[in-house]
Amino acid sequence: MSELTGKTAIVTGSSRGIGAVVAQNLAAQGAGVVINYRQKAPRANKVVQGIVDAGGRAVAVGADLTSPEGAQALVDAAIENFGGLDILVLNASGGMESGMGEDYALRLNRDAQVNMLEAAAAAMPAGSRVVFVTSHQAHFIDEVATMDAYEPVARSKRAGELALRERIPALAERGIELVVVSGDMIEGTVTATLLDRAQPGAIEARREAAGRLYSVEEFGAEVARMATADVPSGHTEYVGGAGHFTQS
């Protein structure tokens, strides 16, 4: 029996990149996984097919988390397809996209995270866990400045983290834990690519400062590990390069 046999996970923003790797790791441990995408159904379906071909269980669900009904659609899919919900990985984020509105970063990185948590928590039994994925650039934004192009996103993600942490006592009453995974810039992500485009040389500069940068596969595996790691609620797991921020 694998560690997560009989369990169900929702991974937001999991049609590619870190979210897809997290979903694949959780499915490999036995969990039924809800793959969430906003627009690219074929990409999400490919992730599902890969999990199924490997002997796992997964379903793709299109949902815009900034809409009122988006979060509930994912929870409903978890219950209908796998019978419950035990793990919520809050991976979806953004804010550097063009044409999404001035307040999009806050709506996605704070408001949508809280709405997703509240919808999921209503269906999660005691012993469940929520994992929020963030970056060092966001987690430490009040102590260490980040690149101008990323600052609005960083501040919105920090606001999201703080809003989620405020709910830890209420979650504890239901036996639900919340942990945070904070990572350095990750090689191969859309965010890193956009930052390097806005500020040429940003990836190489961060790589030199940190010593090395984690790959999408490496970081995704660490996020998945925190779904079952023996750590207390409220714990922050730092993945790569945190010393640069804590010593600044």
Side-chain angles (χ1 to χ4, degrees):
M1 294 281 285
S2 298
E3 188 172 6
L4 294 178
T5 297
K7 302 294 186 180
T8 302
I10 291 173
V11 183
T12 65
S14 48
S15 66
R16 64 176 175 182
I18 293 166
V21 173
V22 174
Q24 290 158 356
N25 274 266
L26 295 176
Q29 295 176 56
V33 184
V34 176
I35 306 296
N36 162 235
Y37 67 93
R38 187 168 65 89
Q39 290 180 317
K40 304 294 177 63
R43 196 163 58 192
N45 290 332
K46 185 176 180 180
V47 176
V48 169
Q49 192 60 53
I51 289 173
V52 171
D53 289 347
R57 300 173 299 140
V59 62
V61 179
D64 180 353
L65 299 185
T66 64
S67 70
E69 63 276 6
Q72 193 60 49
L74 296 183
V75 175
D76 291 345
I79 295 170
E80 291 167 9
N81 287 275
F82 305 117
L85 177 59
D86 309 279
I87 297 167
L88 170 64
V89 180
L90 295 168
N91 169 73
S93 66
M96 294 188 69
E97 304 88 340
S98 59
M100 299 299 288
E102 186 175 326
D103 64 343
Y104 180 67
L106 265 178
R107 286 193 293 118
L108 176 59
N109 297 329
R110 182 192 64 191
D111 302 344
Q113 307 299 319
V114 172
N115 291 340
M116 186 70 242
L117 171 66
E118 292 180 346
M124 298 173 87
S128 297
R129 176 167 287 184
V130 179
V131 180
F132 176 66
V133 182
T134 189
S135 66
H136 296 344
Q137 287 80 7
H139 182 74
F140 293 106
I141 188 61
D142 293 329
E143 293 83 31
V144 182
T146 188
M147 290 166 278
D148 291 345
Y150 190 64
E151 183 169 352
V153 176
R155 294 202 175 279
S156 67
K157 284 186 69 66
R158 180 59 177 166
E161 178 183 344
L162 292 175
L164 293 172
R165 287 186 181 278
E166 287 177 359
R167 285 156 175 79
I168 288 176
L171 291 172
E173 292 179 2
R174 307 182 64 144
I176 301 171
E177 299 176 337
L178 183 144
V179 300
V180 174
V181 182
S182 179
D184 206 332
M185 190 180 290
I186 308 299
E187 299 262 21
T189 60
V190 173
T191 297
T193 300
L194 290 173
L195 283 172
D196 205 57
R197 189 178 301 161
Q199 188 172 321
I203 293 177
E204 182 57 36
R206 187 67 212 123
R207 188 186 297 119
E208 289 181 7
R212 83 174 186 95
L213 299 180
Y214 275 61
S215 68
V216 169
E217 289 73 19
E218 290 172 322
F219 185 63
E222 289 299 304
V223 173
R225 184 176 66 82
M226 296 311 297
T228 56
D230 185 13
V231 296
S233 189
H235 171 78
T236 302
E237 183 74 8
Y238 297 112
V239 181
H244 167 80
F245 294 86
T246 57
Q247 295 167 14
S248 296

